[in-house]
Amino acid sequence: MSKSLLIIFAGLIGTGKSTLADILAKRLDIPILSSDTIRKELSGIPPEEHKYEDFEKGIYGKEFTDRTYEEMFKRAREFLTSGSSLIIDASFKKRYHRKLAFDMASELGVRFYIIETVCNSEEIEKRLNARIKNKESIPFKYITGQASDGRWEIYKRQKDDFDAMNEIDKKSHITVDTTESIDTCIEKIIESLRVYEI
């Protein structure tokens, strides 16, 4: 690809953002920043330790979330100004956070894409319950979305609080239904990036 990319993964918990973001980063050989990891780092909590807070409380409250995004964008700017492409993995449920990412990309002259992951609620409930169960029995390094504290009761609140993603140009907004296979989702994303490269 001839120009640096800023790709942000956005969507509700359990929709497969981290899984796809990790795989795409490896396929494109570009770095990735995760809000889950940065949030834990800022709070002094190891990524494998879980902090099951109530919705928008504690380290998931608005003030700490804004601080997390601020740090994430600070690090993103360093990557992008060095000429590197970058993936950011976060919910981006608020329009103003998405606008901050878009404005940074515009300022730095890099191509910008939002990949929105969507999935039906029944599948998400199964995934989130399985994730919690697996975290109790499988070593931390083998779990996708390992730093996330997402769970079903939080999903329902987050869904009601998610700003509709209707401010993004269609060429920059790639929607992926993650009930499809991982390979299908990744190929759709890569093909979309190629189509809009011109």
Short mmCIF file of all heavy atoms in Angstrom, two decimals, residues 13-61:
data_model
loop_
_atom_site.label_atom_id
_atom_site.label_comp_id
_atom_site.label_asym_id
_atom_site.label_seq_id
_atom_site.Cartn_x
_atom_site.Cartn_y
_atom_site.Cartn_z
N ILE A 13 -18.98 -4.94 22.58
CA ILE A 13 -18.20 -6.05 23.13
C ILE A 13 -18.77 -7.37 22.62
O ILE A 13 -19.97 -7.51 22.41
CB ILE A 13 -18.18 -6.03 24.67
CG1 ILE A 13 -19.62 -6.04 25.24
CG2 ILE A 13 -17.39 -4.87 25.21
CD1 ILE A 13 -19.68 -6.17 26.74
N GLY A 14 -17.88 -8.31 22.39
CA GLY A 14 -18.30 -9.63 21.94
C GLY A 14 -18.51 -9.77 20.45
O GLY A 14 -18.85 -10.85 19.97
N THR A 15 -18.31 -8.68 19.70
CA THR A 15 -18.53 -8.75 18.25
C THR A 15 -17.29 -9.19 17.48
O THR A 15 -17.33 -9.29 16.25
CB THR A 15 -19.03 -7.40 17.69
OG1 THR A 15 -18.09 -6.36 18.06
CG2 THR A 15 -20.41 -7.06 18.22
N GLY A 16 -16.19 -9.42 18.17
CA GLY A 16 -15.01 -9.95 17.50
C GLY A 16 -13.98 -8.93 17.07
O GLY A 16 -13.11 -9.23 16.25
N LYS A 17 -14.05 -7.72 17.62
CA LYS A 17 -13.10 -6.66 17.24
C LYS A 17 -11.66 -7.10 17.43
O LYS A 17 -10.83 -6.99 16.53
CB LYS A 17 -13.35 -5.40 18.07
CG LYS A 17 -14.63 -4.68 17.84
CD LYS A 17 -14.69 -3.37 18.61
CE LYS A 17 -14.48 -3.53 20.10
NZ LYS A 17 -15.51 -4.37 20.75
N SER A 18 -11.34 -7.57 18.63
CA SER A 18 -9.95 -7.88 18.96
C SER A 18 -9.42 -9.04 18.14
O SER A 18 -8.26 -9.03 17.69
CB SER A 18 -9.81 -8.20 20.46
OG SER A 18 -10.14 -7.06 21.23
N THR A 19 -10.26 -10.05 17.91
CA THR A 19 -9.84 -11.19 17.10
C THR A 19 -9.46 -10.75 15.70
O THR A 19 -8.37 -11.06 15.20
CB THR A 19 -10.98 -12.24 17.02
OG1 THR A 19 -11.27 -12.72 18.34
CG2 THR A 19 -10.57 -13.40 16.13
N LEU A 20 -10.34 -9.99 15.06
CA LEU A 20 -10.07 -9.54 13.69
C LEU A 20 -8.93 -8.53 13.64
O LEU A 20 -8.10 -8.56 12.73
CB LEU A 20 -11.33 -8.94 13.08
CG LEU A 20 -12.49 -9.91 12.84
CD1 LEU A 20 -13.67 -9.18 12.20
CD2 LEU A 20 -12.06 -11.08 11.96
N ALA A 21 -8.88 -7.64 14.62
CA ALA A 21 -7.81 -6.63 14.64
C ALA A 21 -6.44 -7.30 14.75
O ALA A 21 -5.50 -6.92 14.06
CB ALA A 21 -8.03 -5.66 15.81
N ASP A 22 -6.33 -8.29 15.62
CA ASP A 22 -5.05 -9.00 15.79
C ASP A 22 -4.63 -9.70 14.51
O ASP A 22 -3.47 -9.65 14.10
CB ASP A 22 -5.16 -10.03 16.93
CG ASP A 22 -5.19 -9.39 18.30
OD1 ASP A 22 -4.83 -8.21 18.42
OD2 ASP A 22 -5.57 -10.08 19.27
N ILE A 23 -5.59 -10.38 13.87
CA ILE A 23 -5.26 -11.12 12.64
C ILE A 23 -4.90 -10.16 11.51
O ILE A 23 -3.94 -10.38 10.78
CB ILE A 23 -6.45 -12.02 12.24
CG1 ILE A 23 -6.63 -13.12 13.28
CG2 ILE A 23 -6.21 -12.63 10.85
CD1 ILE A 23 -7.90 -13.93 13.10
N LEU A 24 -5.67 -9.07 11.39
CA LEU A 24 -5.38 -8.11 10.32
C LEU A 24 -4.03 -7.45 10.52
O LEU A 24 -3.28 -7.24 9.56
CB LEU A 24 -6.48 -7.04 10.26
CG LEU A 24 -6.36 -6.06 9.09
CD1 LEU A 24 -6.55 -6.78 7.75
CD2 LEU A 24 -7.37 -4.92 9.23
N ALA A 25 -3.68 -7.14 11.77
CA ALA A 25 -2.37 -6.54 12.05
C ALA A 25 -1.25 -7.46 11.60
O ALA A 25 -0.25 -7.02 11.03
CB ALA A 25 -2.25 -6.24 13.54
N LYS A 26 -1.42 -8.77 11.82
CA LYS A 26 -0.40 -9.73 11.39
C LYS A 26 -0.37 -9.83 9.87
O LYS A 26 0.70 -9.89 9.25
CB LYS A 26 -0.67 -11.09 12.02
CG LYS A 26 -0.43 -11.14 13.52
CD LYS A 26 -0.69 -12.55 14.07
CE LYS A 26 -0.35 -12.64 15.55
NZ LYS A 26 -1.25 -11.84 16.40
N ARG A 27 -1.56 -9.85 9.24
CA ARG A 27 -1.61 -9.97 7.77
C ARG A 27 -0.97 -8.76 7.09
O ARG A 27 -0.28 -8.89 6.08
CB ARG A 27 -3.07 -10.11 7.32
CG ARG A 27 -3.68 -11.47 7.56
CD ARG A 27 -3.21 -12.52 6.56
NE ARG A 27 -3.62 -12.22 5.20
CZ ARG A 27 -4.77 -12.60 4.65
NH1 ARG A 27 -5.64 -13.30 5.36
NH2 ARG A 27 -5.06 -12.29 3.41
N LEU A 28 -1.23 -7.56 7.63
CA LEU A 28 -0.69 -6.35 7.03
C LEU A 28 0.67 -5.96 7.58
O LEU A 28 1.30 -5.02 7.09
CB LEU A 28 -1.67 -5.18 7.23
CG LEU A 28 -3.07 -5.34 6.63
CD1 LEU A 28 -3.90 -4.09 6.88
CD2 LEU A 28 -3.00 -5.63 5.14
N ASP A 29 1.10 -6.68 8.64
CA ASP A 29 2.38 -6.41 9.29
C ASP A 29 2.48 -4.97 9.78
O ASP A 29 3.43 -4.24 9.47
CB ASP A 29 3.54 -6.75 8.35
CG ASP A 29 4.89 -6.77 9.07
OD1 ASP A 29 4.89 -7.03 10.30
OD2 ASP A 29 5.92 -6.52 8.42
N ILE A 30 1.46 -4.56 10.53
CA ILE A 30 1.46 -3.21 11.11
C ILE A 30 1.12 -3.31 12.60
O ILE A 30 0.48 -4.27 13.03
CB ILE A 30 0.48 -2.26 10.39
CG1 ILE A 30 -0.95 -2.78 10.46
CG2 ILE A 30 0.91 -2.03 8.96
CD1 ILE A 30 -1.96 -1.84 9.81
N PRO A 31 1.54 -2.34 13.39
CA PRO A 31 1.30 -2.38 14.83
C PRO A 31 -0.17 -2.17 15.18
O PRO A 31 -0.96 -1.68 14.37
CB PRO A 31 2.17 -1.25 15.38
CG PRO A 31 2.38 -0.33 14.23
CD PRO A 31 2.35 -1.17 12.99
N ILE A 32 -0.51 -2.51 16.42
CA ILE A 32 -1.88 -2.39 16.90
C ILE A 32 -1.86 -1.82 18.32
O ILE A 32 -1.00 -2.17 19.12
CB ILE A 32 -2.60 -3.76 16.85
CG1 ILE A 32 -4.05 -3.64 17.33
CG2 ILE A 32 -1.86 -4.80 17.66
CD1 ILE A 32 -4.85 -4.91 17.11
N LEU A 33 -2.80 -0.93 18.60
CA LEU A 33 -3.02 -0.41 19.94
C LEU A 33 -4.38 -0.87 20.42
O LEU A 33 -5.36 -0.77 19.69
CB LEU A 33 -2.97 1.12 19.96
CG LEU A 33 -1.63 1.79 19.67
CD1 LEU A 33 -1.80 3.31 19.58
CD2 LEU A 33 -0.61 1.44 20.74
N SER A 34 -4.45 -1.36 21.65
CA SER A 34 -5.71 -1.85 22.23
C SER A 34 -6.12 -0.99 23.41
O SER A 34 -5.32 -0.76 24.33
CB SER A 34 -5.54 -3.29 22.70
OG SER A 34 -6.58 -3.67 23.57
N SER A 35 -7.35 -0.50 23.40
CA SER A 35 -7.83 0.31 24.52
C SER A 35 -7.88 -0.51 25.80
O SER A 35 -7.63 0.01 26.90
CB SER A 35 -9.22 0.88 24.21
OG SER A 35 -10.18 -0.15 24.08
N ASP A 36 -8.20 -1.81 25.70
CA ASP A 36 -8.25 -2.66 26.90
C ASP A 36 -6.89 -2.71 27.58
O ASP A 36 -6.78 -2.58 28.80
CB ASP A 36 -8.69 -4.09 26.53
CG ASP A 36 -10.16 -4.18 26.16
OD1 ASP A 36 -10.96 -3.41 26.73
OD2 ASP A 36 -10.50 -5.00 25.31
N THR A 37 -5.84 -2.90 26.77
CA THR A 37 -4.50 -2.99 27.33
C THR A 37 -4.04 -1.66 27.91
O THR A 37 -3.48 -1.60 29.01
CB THR A 37 -3.51 -3.46 26.24
OG1 THR A 37 -3.95 -4.73 25.73
CG2 THR A 37 -2.11 -3.60 26.80
N ILE A 38 -4.30 -0.57 27.19
CA ILE A 38 -3.88 0.76 27.66
C ILE A 38 -4.65 1.14 28.92
O ILE A 38 -4.09 1.72 29.86
CB ILE A 38 -4.06 1.80 26.55
CG1 ILE A 38 -3.06 1.53 25.42
CG2 ILE A 38 -3.89 3.23 27.08
CD1 ILE A 38 -3.25 2.38 24.19
N ARG A 39 -5.94 0.82 28.97
CA ARG A 39 -6.75 1.13 30.15
C ARG A 39 -6.18 0.44 31.39
O ARG A 39 -6.05 1.04 32.46
CB ARG A 39 -8.19 0.68 29.92
CG ARG A 39 -9.17 1.12 30.99
CD ARG A 39 -10.53 0.49 30.77
NE ARG A 39 -11.08 0.81 29.47
CZ ARG A 39 -11.84 1.87 29.20
NH1 ARG A 39 -12.12 2.72 30.17
NH2 ARG A 39 -12.31 2.07 27.99
N LYS A 40 -5.85 -0.84 31.24
CA LYS A 40 -5.27 -1.59 32.37
C LYS A 40 -3.92 -1.00 32.77
O LYS A 40 -3.59 -0.88 33.95
CB LYS A 40 -5.13 -3.06 32.00
CG LYS A 40 -6.45 -3.80 31.80
CD LYS A 40 -7.17 -4.05 33.10
CE LYS A 40 -8.49 -4.79 32.92
NZ LYS A 40 -8.32 -6.18 32.48
N GLU A 41 -3.12 -0.66 31.77
CA GLU A 41 -1.80 -0.08 32.04
C GLU A 41 -1.92 1.21 32.83
O GLU A 41 -1.21 1.43 33.81
CB GLU A 41 -1.08 0.16 30.72
CG GLU A 41 0.31 0.75 30.85
CD GLU A 41 0.92 1.07 29.50
OE1 GLU A 41 0.68 0.31 28.54
OE2 GLU A 41 1.63 2.08 29.42
N LEU A 42 -2.84 2.09 32.41
CA LEU A 42 -3.02 3.37 33.10
C LEU A 42 -3.54 3.20 34.53
O LEU A 42 -3.27 4.02 35.40
CB LEU A 42 -3.99 4.26 32.31
CG LEU A 42 -3.49 4.78 30.96
CD1 LEU A 42 -4.60 5.56 30.26
CD2 LEU A 42 -2.26 5.67 31.13
N SER A 43 -4.29 2.14 34.75
CA SER A 43 -4.86 1.91 36.08
C SER A 43 -3.94 1.10 36.98
O SER A 43 -4.25 0.86 38.15
CB SER A 43 -6.21 1.20 35.96
OG SER A 43 -6.06 -0.07 35.37
N GLY A 44 -2.79 0.66 36.41
CA GLY A 44 -1.84 -0.12 37.20
C GLY A 44 -2.27 -1.55 37.42
O GLY A 44 -1.78 -2.22 38.34
N ILE A 45 -3.17 -2.05 36.57
CA ILE A 45 -3.67 -3.42 36.69
C ILE A 45 -3.03 -4.28 35.61
O ILE A 45 -3.04 -3.89 34.43
CB ILE A 45 -5.21 -3.45 36.54
CG1 ILE A 45 -5.87 -2.59 37.62
CG2 ILE A 45 -5.74 -4.88 36.61
CD1 ILE A 45 -7.37 -2.41 37.41
N PRO A 46 -2.49 -5.44 35.95
CA PRO A 46 -1.96 -6.33 34.90
C PRO A 46 -3.07 -6.69 33.92
O PRO A 46 -4.23 -6.85 34.31
CB PRO A 46 -1.49 -7.57 35.68
CG PRO A 46 -1.32 -7.10 37.10
CD PRO A 46 -2.33 -6.02 37.30
N PRO A 47 -2.74 -6.84 32.62
CA PRO A 47 -3.78 -7.12 31.63
C PRO A 47 -4.55 -8.40 31.89
O PRO A 47 -5.71 -8.52 31.51
CB PRO A 47 -3.00 -7.18 30.30
CG PRO A 47 -1.58 -7.38 30.69
CD PRO A 47 -1.41 -6.72 32.01
N GLU A 48 -3.90 -9.38 32.56
CA GLU A 48 -4.59 -10.64 32.82
C GLU A 48 -5.51 -10.58 34.04
O GLU A 48 -6.29 -11.50 34.28
CB GLU A 48 -3.58 -11.78 33.00
CG GLU A 48 -2.72 -11.69 34.24
CD GLU A 48 -1.46 -10.89 34.06
OE1 GLU A 48 -1.36 -10.13 33.07
OE2 GLU A 48 -0.55 -11.02 34.90
N GLU A 49 -5.42 -9.48 34.80
CA GLU A 49 -6.30 -9.32 35.97
C GLU A 49 -7.60 -8.65 35.54
O GLU A 49 -7.59 -7.67 34.80
CB GLU A 49 -5.60 -8.47 37.03
CG GLU A 49 -6.42 -8.28 38.30
CD GLU A 49 -5.67 -7.48 39.34
OE1 GLU A 49 -4.45 -7.70 39.50
OE2 GLU A 49 -6.29 -6.60 39.97
N HIS A 50 -8.70 -9.13 36.03
CA HIS A 50 -9.99 -8.60 35.59
C HIS A 50 -10.62 -7.70 36.63
O HIS A 50 -10.54 -7.94 37.84
CB HIS A 50 -10.93 -9.74 35.20
CG HIS A 50 -10.41 -10.47 34.01
ND1 HIS A 50 -10.35 -9.90 32.76
CD2 HIS A 50 -9.84 -11.70 33.90
CE1 HIS A 50 -9.80 -10.75 31.93
NE2 HIS A 50 -9.46 -11.84 32.59
N LYS A 51 -11.20 -6.64 36.13
CA LYS A 51 -11.82 -5.61 36.97
C LYS A 51 -13.27 -5.49 36.51
O LYS A 51 -13.60 -4.74 35.60
CB LYS A 51 -11.07 -4.28 36.76
CG LYS A 51 -11.46 -3.19 37.74
CD LYS A 51 -10.78 -3.38 39.07
CE LYS A 51 -11.00 -2.16 39.96
NZ LYS A 51 -10.50 -2.38 41.32
N TYR A 52 -14.13 -6.25 37.14
CA TYR A 52 -15.52 -6.29 36.71
C TYR A 52 -16.31 -5.16 37.38
O TYR A 52 -16.93 -5.32 38.42
CB TYR A 52 -16.14 -7.66 37.03
CG TYR A 52 -15.53 -8.78 36.22
CD1 TYR A 52 -15.00 -9.90 36.85
CD2 TYR A 52 -15.48 -8.72 34.84
CE1 TYR A 52 -14.43 -10.93 36.10
CE2 TYR A 52 -14.91 -9.74 34.09
CZ TYR A 52 -14.39 -10.84 34.73
OH TYR A 52 -13.83 -11.85 33.99
N GLU A 53 -16.24 -4.00 36.74
CA GLU A 53 -16.93 -2.82 37.24
C GLU A 53 -18.36 -2.77 36.71
O GLU A 53 -18.70 -3.40 35.71
CB GLU A 53 -16.20 -1.55 36.75
CG GLU A 53 -14.72 -1.49 37.06
CD GLU A 53 -14.42 -0.86 38.40
OE1 GLU A 53 -15.36 -0.78 39.25
OE2 GLU A 53 -13.27 -0.44 38.61
N ASP A 54 -19.22 -2.00 37.41
CA ASP A 54 -20.55 -1.73 36.87
C ASP A 54 -20.41 -0.86 35.63
O ASP A 54 -19.36 -0.24 35.39
CB ASP A 54 -21.43 -1.03 37.91
CG ASP A 54 -21.82 -1.95 39.05
OD1 ASP A 54 -21.83 -3.18 38.83
OD2 ASP A 54 -22.11 -1.44 40.15
N PHE A 55 -21.47 -0.77 34.84
CA PHE A 55 -21.44 -0.01 33.60
C PHE A 55 -21.04 1.44 33.86
O PHE A 55 -21.62 2.14 34.69
CB PHE A 55 -22.82 -0.05 32.93
CG PHE A 55 -22.88 0.68 31.62
CD1 PHE A 55 -22.24 0.18 30.50
CD2 PHE A 55 -23.59 1.88 31.51
CE1 PHE A 55 -22.29 0.85 29.29
CE2 PHE A 55 -23.66 2.55 30.31
CZ PHE A 55 -23.00 2.04 29.19
N GLU A 56 -19.97 1.88 33.15
CA GLU A 56 -19.45 3.25 33.23
C GLU A 56 -19.07 3.65 34.66
O GLU A 56 -19.24 4.81 35.07
CB GLU A 56 -20.43 4.25 32.62
CG GLU A 56 -20.64 4.03 31.13
CD GLU A 56 -20.87 5.32 30.36
OE1 GLU A 56 -21.41 6.26 30.94
OE2 GLU A 56 -20.51 5.35 29.17
N LYS A 57 -18.54 2.71 35.41
CA LYS A 57 -18.03 2.98 36.75
C LYS A 57 -16.54 2.65 36.81
O LYS A 57 -16.03 1.87 36.00
CB LYS A 57 -18.78 2.15 37.79
CG LYS A 57 -20.28 2.40 37.87
CD LYS A 57 -20.59 3.82 38.34
CE LYS A 57 -22.09 4.04 38.48
NZ LYS A 57 -22.41 5.42 38.88
N GLY A 58 -15.84 3.23 37.79
CA GLY A 58 -14.43 2.93 38.00
C GLY A 58 -13.59 3.21 36.77
O GLY A 58 -13.70 4.29 36.16
N ILE A 59 -12.77 2.26 36.36
CA ILE A 59 -11.90 2.49 35.21
C ILE A 59 -12.67 2.50 33.90
O ILE A 59 -12.09 2.78 32.85
CB ILE A 59 -10.75 1.45 35.15
CG1 ILE A 59 -11.29 0.04 34.88
CG2 ILE A 59 -9.91 1.48 36.40
CD1 ILE A 59 -10.19 -0.98 34.57
N TYR A 60 -13.96 2.20 33.95
CA TYR A 60 -14.80 2.27 32.76
C TYR A 60 -15.74 3.48 32.78
O TYR A 60 -16.60 3.61 31.92
CB TYR A 60 -15.61 0.97 32.59
CG TYR A 60 -14.70 -0.20 32.28
CD1 TYR A 60 -14.23 -1.03 33.29
CD2 TYR A 60 -14.27 -0.42 30.98
CE1 TYR A 60 -13.36 -2.08 33.00
CE2 TYR A 60 -13.39 -1.46 30.68
CZ TYR A 60 -12.95 -2.28 31.70
OH TYR A 60 -12.08 -3.30 31.41
N GLY A 61 -15.52 4.37 33.76
CA GLY A 61 -16.26 5.62 33.80
C GLY A 61 -15.81 6.57 32.70
O GLY A 61 -14.75 6.39 32.10
#
